[in-house]
Amino acid sequence: MLFSQLVYRIAARTPRNCLSSRRWILSHRRYGHQPTFRNSNENKKHLDPFSLVGDELSLISMRLRSMVVAEVPELASAAGYFFKEGVEGKKLCPTVILLMATALNVCTPELSPNVLGNTLILDLRRRQQCIAEITEMIHVASLIHDDVLDDADTRRGIGSLSSVMGNKLAILAGDLLISRALVALASLKHTEVVSLMATALKNLVSGETMQMTATFEQRCSMECYMQKTYNKTAALVSNSCKAVAYLSGQREEVATLAFEYGRNLGLAYQLIDDILDFTGTSASLGKASLTDLRNGIITAPILFAMEEFPQLHAFINSSSDNPANVDVILEYLGKSHGIQRTTELAVKHASLAAAAIDSLPETHDVDATNARTALVHITQKIITRNK
Amino acid sequence: MLFSQLVYRIAARTPRNCLSSRRWILSHRRYGHQPTFRNSNENKKHLDPFSLVGDELSLISMRLRSMVVAEVPELASAAGYFFKEGVEGKKLCPTVILLMATALNVCTPELSPNVLGNTLILDLRRRQQCIAEITEMIHVASLIHDDVLDDADTRRGIGSLSSVMGNKLAILAGDLLISRALVALASLKHTEVVSLMATALKNLVSGETMQMTATFEQRCSMECYMQKTYNKTAALVSNSCKAVAYLSGQREEVATLAFEYGRNLGLAYQLIDDILDFTGTSASLGKASLTDLRNGIITAPILFAMEEFPQLHAFINSSSDNPANVDVILEYLGKSHGIQRTTELAVKHASLAAAAIDSLPETHDVDATNARTALVHITQKIITRNK
């Protein structure tokens, strides 16, 4: 069974009640329910997406850390903070890029190992790693500046760089990473790749701009929300997936599938993030940080709830940091299908991401097959995660 | 007489006393003494560097303003603030780039008007204007972020963007400009030009990093000072001059002359800026803002003075914002040749910039000749400016 069919089946079986739908997903995660993959069980441990490219991830982290420390020794702790191995939740983007590179490398006749020498193969892989590094630099730079813009106190559960080291060093660190990303990008000497990564950076800034400057009407629009979500979360991974496809010499249709995988994966990831802002790990509303709600950022669960209960507008429009307001909003959200519909939307995008992988040109190469299985696995992991 | 010879003669005639050397330069400016140029007097008004490319400068300002306002209406006042026509001191970089483009366009056989159609000529000019726009975007972005980093209250005599609109909008505006500059750069589809502008941005951030994190020993080193000055002031104009040369299809030696013009002009400009921080418009020490001194930034006049009076180290090392300390430092500076030697160094770099123009391949094209005369004129203007 294709994974895309499987996740559609999950969506179809999802109960209508928002809380139980969340619990349903969590219980399947807790009790180890895993969708059946095309590969046999004995291969499973080798197909863990992160361990498949673990050595390269370590190498990339080390390179980025060394670069920052060599440039600005004062940023050593910041570099360790962001590019340290094993810190939860930050390896997804480079992991996806490296897996996509493996998934695509063998599909073009002109790049088959028979034609390419080892040096050329290594050079191609080095260039694709470079995309992963550039993406990490842009990603971390945007996180650092966003934390300053949002006055964030924490990031990934620990103090944000701006709160720990001050806004000045945070701005400088962000600028440093962007400028080094641009130098690395220029070194690839590939005009289409430069365009893709430039677009990704533009989208990131546009996303933050939309969040900072949107009118109440725009904040209540699902279309604006999806556009902002694409800009802030999906544009970087989608464009970098397409970039590795270009570097592999893939034709446009294959590059577009790589882009679609990244786009849908990014959207699904953020939709689940928005649910977790309400439920946290407990699957109970209001047990999590409610960071977005308290900052007046309206996300998918509330947008869906507002469709059912238009009276929610009034509470959202007034100060949403008021505890009484928060309680009312959560009460409406609990009565609505907001969490459930957001979950369904996330599952839909995860399945579209998996479908893009299913649509890649057939391969009999073991590494490429494993990488594709791992990419599909990631679409399931992000749906069932609880942090 | 070549301008490069003339400015060397100025340097040779400069009196040894630091204050009178400054007065000497100012009096020549005040009483209208102008070096003799290769062109006749009746051409002078047409050779005013700013009016030669005035229409294009207006067009570039308008394009940048519209782009920012279209993206973020909230930044309309910021866009007006930075990209408004006629505000003192901010048109130098795009002026130099456009003049360099004219100065170089006719010197390559394969790009002569006989071979190129009008469309191709217009397309080349549009691409060169794009370099001027990209440079302005990067320049303004770095000014905005530097103001946040330096806690600057004013910029060009009026409130800095960060003090007027808050740090958050300032960070966002800077990020927006950098991301749009990168998109514009990608649109040129020229890998060497991408590399040059990436290097320029890297240098700008490195310059600010050096300023923020240098040890006292590094701050007392002339070598570090010149490197920081190149990074912060000269790298952008030098690399963009080289970029327009590449776009014109010039050979490497000509592109290097364009680079050397920008590098030396930028260094001369900053050295005079550093003098003006002490003298302002009055030619008297201590009558200006003393911004650098009060912020602990050690510039060329003090570095030269410290060579003569090593005891200055102690006063510089302790809080230089202490009024008593400031008085002592100014007293030593007045007794030293610090201002004079800085002036001589600025004049030397201005003359090297002029010499680079003199060394360009000969041309009989009137526009190219006028543009070259204007570029040389700029080297003299920046030496004799008092604001």
Side-chain angles (χ1 to χ4, degrees):
Chain A
M1 181 196 302
L2 292 182
F3 184 73
S4 49
Q5 293 165 339
L6 178 82
V7 282
Y8 273 129
R9 191 168 292 185
I10 291 174
R13 281 165 51 194
T14 304
R16 292 288 290 169
N17 180 279
C18 61
L19 289 184
S20 57
S21 76
R22 184 77 203 130
R23 279 198 205 103
W24 183 89
I25 286 183
L26 291 174
S27 68
H28 278 68
R29 185 193 45 72
R30 284 193 189 118
Y31 299 111
H33 171 92
Q34 294 290 336
T36 311
F37 285 103
R38 282 171 291 175
N39 298 68
S40 61
N41 275 339
E42 64 265 28
N43 272 338
K44 260 188 185 169
K45 75 182 170 81
H46 302 295
L47 301 183
D48 170 52
F50 295 91
S51 65
L52 267 181
V53 289
D55 290 346
E56 283 180 287
L57 288 174
S58 301
L59 196 68
I60 287 170
S61 291
M62 195 190 67
R63 278 195 205 120
L64 293 174
R65 264 200 315 275
S66 308
M67 180 275 289
V68 172
V69 175
E71 295 271 352
V72 196
E74 287 75 4
L75 285 176
S77 56
Y81 178 91
F82 274 105
F83 299 123
K84 206 164 134 189
E85 294 166 54
V87 176
E88 190 69 40
K90 66 175 186 178
K91 297 286 187 191
L92 187 60
C93 205
T95 301
V96 163
I97 292 164
L98 293 173
L99 289 173
M100 185 62 80
T102 308
L104 297 177
N105 274 354
V106 294
C107 304
T108 169
E110 55 280 29
L111 287 180
S112 77
N114 299 334
V115 177
L116 279 175
N118 270 343
T119 312
L120 278 180
I121 290 173
L122 287 175
D123 181 57
L124 171 60
R125 191 69 187 185
R126 183 67 197 90
R127 286 160 68 79
Q128 290 168 327
Q129 284 173 1
C130 192
I131 295 289
E133 287 170 32
I134 290 165
T135 306
E136 264 301 80
M137 284 190 265
I138 294 176
H139 175 57
V140 169
S142 80
L143 292 183
I144 294 174
H145 279 193
D146 284 3
D147 281 348
V148 181
L149 293 170
D150 301 341
D151 280 333
D153 292 329
T154 58
R155 164 75 63 187
R156 292 166 183 157
I158 48 175
S160 70
L161 184 64
S162 52
S163 72
V164 172
M165 311 192 74
N167 282 349
K168 287 188 183 192
L169 214 52
I171 297 167
L172 189 68
D175 288 350
L176 181 84
L177 288 171
I178 291 292
S179 68
R180 283 359 178 228
L182 182 51
V183 170
L185 187 56
S187 75
L188 294 174
K189 298 191 180 301
H190 193 300
T191 55
E192 285 81 7
V193 168
V194 171
S195 285
L196 287 171
M197 302 313 290
T199 304
L201 181 65
K202 184 192 87 164
N203 287 337
L204 268 171
V205 179
S206 293
E208 191 61 26
T209 303
M210 287 174 82
Q211 184 156 302
M212 271 186 79
T213 63
T215 61
F216 181 65
E217 199 170 288
Q218 288 168 328
R219 286 159 55 219
C220 291
S221 146
M222 181 57 89
E223 193 186 338
C224 288
Y225 163 82
M226 289 304 284
Q227 183 61 51
K228 184 196 78 176
T229 301
Y230 171 73
N231 283 340
K232 280 187 65 116
T233 314
L236 189 58
V237 66
S238 56
N239 281 289
S240 49
C241 280
K242 194 171 187 179
V244 293
Y246 277 154
L247 289 179
S248 299
Q250 292 290 348
R251 60 182 200 272
E252 195 61 32
E253 304 93 271
V254 176
T256 301
L257 287 171
F259 181 91
E260 282 303 313
Y261 174 82
R263 189 178 79 85
N264 284 294
L265 186 80
L267 293 175
Y269 182 92
Q270 188 57 46
L271 287 161
I272 296 296
D273 232 38
D274 292 344
I275 292 171
L276 291 172
D277 193 55
F278 290 102
T279 63
T281 57
S282 71
S284 302
L285 280 181
K287 293 292 181 190
S289 60
L290 301 174
T291 312
D292 291 335
L293 187 62
R294 293 189 210 282
N295 287 326
I297 298 169
I298 307 173
T299 57
I302 296 288
L303 290 172
F304 283 126
M306 283 161 90
E307 284 180 17
E308 285 178 69
F309 300 103
Q311 57 270 47
L312 249 176
H313 277 81
F315 296 97
I316 295 287
N317 200 10
S318 60
S319 168
S320 48
D321 204 11
N322 176 337
N325 257 0
V326 168
D327 288 344
V328 175
I329 292 166
L330 289 179
E331 197 183 322
Y332 276 111
L333 181 60
K335 284 193 289 186
S336 78
H337 298 83
I339 297 281
Q340 181 196 337
R341 288 180 68 191
T342 307
T343 307
E344 287 167 2
L345 188 59
V347 168
K348 179 186 146 198
H349 283 292
S351 74
L352 287 171
I357 299 300
D358 290 339
S359 303
L360 290 175
E362 201 180 356
T363 178
H364 298 295
D365 179 89
V366 175
D367 288 338
T369 305
N370 286 345
R372 291 178 187 192
T373 306
L375 285 169
V376 171
H377 190 179
I378 285 175
T379 66
Q380 187 257 342
K381 268 176 90 88
I382 62 156
I383 291 290
T384 52
R385 75 199 169 96
N386 70 343
K387 59 181 180 179
Chain B
M1 183 195 302
L2 293 181
F3 184 72
S4 49
Q5 294 165 340
L6 178 82
V7 283
Y8 272 129
R9 191 169 292 185
I10 292 175
R13 281 165 52 192
T14 305
R16 294 288 290 171
N17 180 280
C18 62
L19 289 183
S20 58
S21 75
R22 184 77 203 132
R23 277 198 206 102
W24 183 88
I25 286 182
L26 290 173
S27 69
H28 278 68
R29 185 192 45 74
R30 283 193 189 119
Y31 298 111
H33 172 92
Q34 295 289 336
T36 312
F37 285 104
R38 283 171 290 175
N39 296 68
S40 61
N41 277 337
E42 64 266 26
N43 272 338
K44 262 187 183 166
K45 75 180 169 79
H46 302 294
L47 301 183
D48 169 52
F50 295 91
S51 64
L52 267 181
V53 289
D55 291 347
E56 282 180 286
L57 288 174
S58 301
L59 196 67
I60 287 170
S61 291
M62 195 190 67
R63 278 196 205 120
L64 293 175
R65 264 201 314 277
S66 309
M67 179 274 291
V68 172
V69 175
E71 295 270 352
V72 195
E74 286 75 4
L75 285 176
S77 58
Y81 178 90
F82 275 104
F83 299 122
K84 205 164 134 188
E85 292 167 56
V87 176
E88 190 68 39
K90 66 174 187 179
K91 297 287 185 192
L92 187 60
C93 205
T95 301
V96 164
I97 292 163
L98 293 173
L99 289 172
M100 186 61 81
T102 309
L104 297 178
N105 275 354
V106 293
C107 303
T108 168
E110 54 282 25
L111 287 181
S112 78
N114 299 334
V115 177
L116 278 176
N118 270 343
T119 312
L120 279 180
I121 290 174
L122 287 175
D123 182 56
L124 173 59
R125 191 69 187 183
R126 182 67 197 90
R127 286 160 68 77
Q128 290 168 328
Q129 284 173 0
C130 191
I131 295 289
E133 287 171 32
I134 290 164
T135 306
E136 266 301 82
M137 284 190 265
I138 294 176
H139 176 58
V140 170
S142 79
L143 292 182
I144 293 174
H145 278 193
D146 284 3
D147 281 348
V148 181
L149 292 171
D150 301 341
D151 280 333
D153 292 329
T154 58
R155 164 74 63 186
R156 292 166 183 156
I158 47 176
S160 68
L161 183 64
S162 51
S163 73
V164 173
M165 309 193 74
N167 282 349
K168 287 189 183 194
L169 213 53
I171 298 167
L172 190 68
D175 288 350
L176 181 83
L177 288 171
I178 291 291
S179 67
R180 286 353 180 230
L182 183 52
V183 170
L185 187 56
S187 76
L188 294 174
K189 298 192 181 301
H190 193 300
T191 55
E192 286 81 7
V193 168
V194 171
S195 285
L196 288 171
M197 302 313 290
T199 304
L201 181 64
K202 183 193 88 164
N203 287 337
L204 268 171
V205 179
S206 293
E208 190 62 24
T209 303
M210 287 174 83
Q211 185 155 301
M212 271 186 79
T213 63
T215 61
F216 181 65
E217 199 171 288
Q218 288 167 329
R219 286 160 55 218
C220 290
S221 147
M222 181 57 90
E223 194 186 336
C224 289
Y225 163 82
M226 289 304 284
Q227 184 61 52
K228 184 197 77 177
T229 301
Y230 171 74
N231 284 340
K232 280 188 66 119
T233 315
L236 189 58
V237 67
S238 56
N239 281 290
S240 49
C241 280
K242 195 171 186 178
V244 293
Y246 277 155
L247 289 179
S248 299
Q250 291 291 347
R251 61 183 198 271
E252 194 61 32
E253 305 92 271
V254 177
T256 301
L257 288 171
F259 179 92
E260 282 303 313
Y261 174 83
R263 189 178 79 85
N264 285 293
L265 187 81
L267 293 175
Y269 182 92
Q270 188 56 47
L271 287 161
I272 295 297
D273 232 39
D274 291 344
I275 292 171
L276 291 171
D277 193 56
F278 289 101
T279 63
T281 57
S282 71
S284 303
L285 281 180
K287 294 293 181 191
S289 59
L290 301 175
T291 311
D292 290 336
L293 188 61
R294 292 189 210 282
N295 286 326
I297 299 168
I298 307 172
T299 58
I302 296 288
L303 290 172
F304 283 127
M306 283 160 91
E307 284 180 16
E308 285 178 70
F309 300 103
Q311 57 269 47
L312 249 176
H313 276 81
F315 297 97
I316 295 287
N317 200 9
S318 61
S319 168
S320 48
D321 204 12
N322 177 337
N325 257 1
V326 168
D327 288 344
V328 175
I329 292 166
L330 289 178
E331 197 183 321
Y332 275 110
L333 181 60
K335 285 192 290 187
S336 78
H337 298 83
I339 297 282
Q340 180 196 337
R341 289 179 67 190
T342 307
T343 307
E344 287 167 1
L345 189 59
V347 168
K348 179 187 147 198
H349 282 292
S351 75
L352 287 172
I357 299 300
D358 290 339
S359 302
L360 289 174
E362 202 180 354
T363 179
H364 299 295
D365 180 89
V366 176
D367 288 339
T369 305
N370 286 346
R372 291 176 187 194
T373 305
L375 285 170
V376 172
H377 190 180
I378 285 175
T379 67
Q380 188 257 344
K381 269 177 88 89
I382 63 155
I383 290 290
T384 53
R385 74 201 171 93
N386 70 344
K387 60 180 179 179

